[in-house]
Amino acid sequence: LPEGCTPENTASIASDLAGKTFGLECKETGIEDDDSNFTRFLLLGRRGVVPYLNKKIPSKTSLVFTLPNNAGALYKSLACFSLRDIDMSKIESRPMSAGLLNYLKFRNTVTQLGGGGRGPTFAQELPRFRYCFYLDILASELDEGVQNALHHLREQSDYCRILGSYPANSRLVGPVAEAVEALNAANAGKVNRGDLRLESLPGDKEGARQLNIGIVGYGSFGQYLSKKMGGIHSLRCID
């Protein structure tokens, strides 16, 4: 727990499974103001799960991209997927970080001076404020149609990055699924599962290396993360 927090003065919003896993006392259920509300959790790892995906496993892919400030730019970018019958489940826009904006300005200058470089060339001066678009599609990045759509999108975008492909509907695959199955087998038949813990996954120590981690926002939670990871990884924090 963060400094100053104890089990007696701390509460959290979590799933029923998390409460059972960590032996927590549930004070209230169904606190959402809309039955369709849900929380999205991300399970991150050093190795992706793409090798464990196949056509029998429904998959999703998340990506982020930027677009020039032209009329119809977003419409044309989404057409890259709709023309290939690739369904989209979510799209949202977020302000671009200063670091990415400075990088695009630098690359744009180099491209104009050198007459070459990667990606499209945008002759106009980049504005001081831009947006990134985050998109989820219902297919794996390895699908041929998705590969063609991404190639088409990169012709229009000055920045496009694949955040990853993963199973849809919270399905577990690969080492994570194996670890959970082993955990369930070890606890089969136990009445009290309050001490159930999943401390690590197979291969966590294999190829472990120091990571460069950036924390945006140095409040209580940011300070907690920095204390936990500072002894292992290289951290940079901005408030």
Side-chain angles (χ1 to χ4, degrees):
L1 292 174
E3 185 177 354
C5 296
T6 66
E8 289 74 25
N9 67 7
T10 305
S12 65
I13 299 176
S15 65
D16 293 339
L17 177 60
K20 294 177 181 178
T21 300
F22 293 99
L24 304 179
E25 178 185 355
C26 181
K27 293 295 186 180
E28 188 69 39
T29 61
I31 62 174
E32 69 277 357
D33 56 3
D34 189 324
D35 291 341
S36 62
N37 284 353
F38 64 92
T39 302
R40 190 180 193 188
F41 296 92
L42 301 179
L43 180 60
L44 305 179
R46 291 188 177 91
R47 294 190 296 266
V49 297
V50 173
Y52 304 99
L53 302 179
N54 54 56
K55 294 183 177 180
K56 295 182 179 180
I57 300 178
S59 304
K60 297 176 70 173
T61 298
S62 296
L63 61 143
V64 57
F65 60 94
T66 61
L67 294 170
N69 189 22
N70 298 333
L74 180 58
Y75 170 79
K76 294 176 182 177
S77 67
L78 298 182
C80 299
F81 302 95
S82 62
L83 291 174
R84 295 171 175 86
D85 295 326
I86 300 173
D87 198 6
M88 294 167 278
S89 61
K90 188 188 74 169
I91 182 172
E92 61 182 60
S93 61
R94 297 282 180 86
M96 183 185 297
S97 67
L100 178 56
L101 183 58
N102 290 333
Y103 163 73
L104 292 179
K105 288 181 177 179
F106 170 78
R107 194 182 67 178
N108 194 35
T109 301
V110 172
T111 301
Q112 292 180 28
L113 293 177
R118 298 175 58 188
T121 300
F122 301 107
Q124 71 271 25
E125 179 69 18
L126 290 174
R128 295 180 59 186
F129 189 81
R130 296 185 67 188
Y131 281 93
C132 287
F133 295 94
Y134 291 83
L135 180 67
D136 285 356
I137 58 175
L138 301 182
S140 169
E141 62 180 297
L142 298 183
D143 292 352
E144 182 179 359
V146 174
Q147 289 286 321
N148 293 333
L150 293 174
H151 179 75
H152 190 180
L153 177 62
R154 289 188 175 102
E155 293 178 349
Q156 306 175 31
S157 172
D158 48 356
Y159 177 83
C160 178
R161 181 175 180 179
I162 307 302
L163 301 179
S165 292
Y166 45 92
N169 304 319
S170 301
R171 179 172 178 174
L172 300 178
V173 296
V176 177
E178 296 171 1
V180 172
E181 290 176 1
L183 191 66
N184 290 333
N187 289 274
K190 293 184 179 180
V191 178
N192 183 11
R193 299 170 67 91
D195 294 330
L196 185 63
R197 295 290 189 276
L198 183 59
E199 299 291 348
S200 62
L201 297 175
D204 273 356
K205 297 182 180 180
E206 298 178 6
R209 65 188 187 279
Q210 187 183 58
L211 302 177
N212 295 319
I213 300 176
I215 299 178
V216 180
Y218 203 55
S220 298
F221 187 61
Q223 296 175 30
Y224 168 75
L225 290 178
S226 65
K227 290 180 181 179
K228 286 292 185 180
M229 299 185 292
I232 304 174
H233 305 293
S234 175
L235 299 180
R236 292 190 178 185
C237 307
I238 58 174
D239 199 354

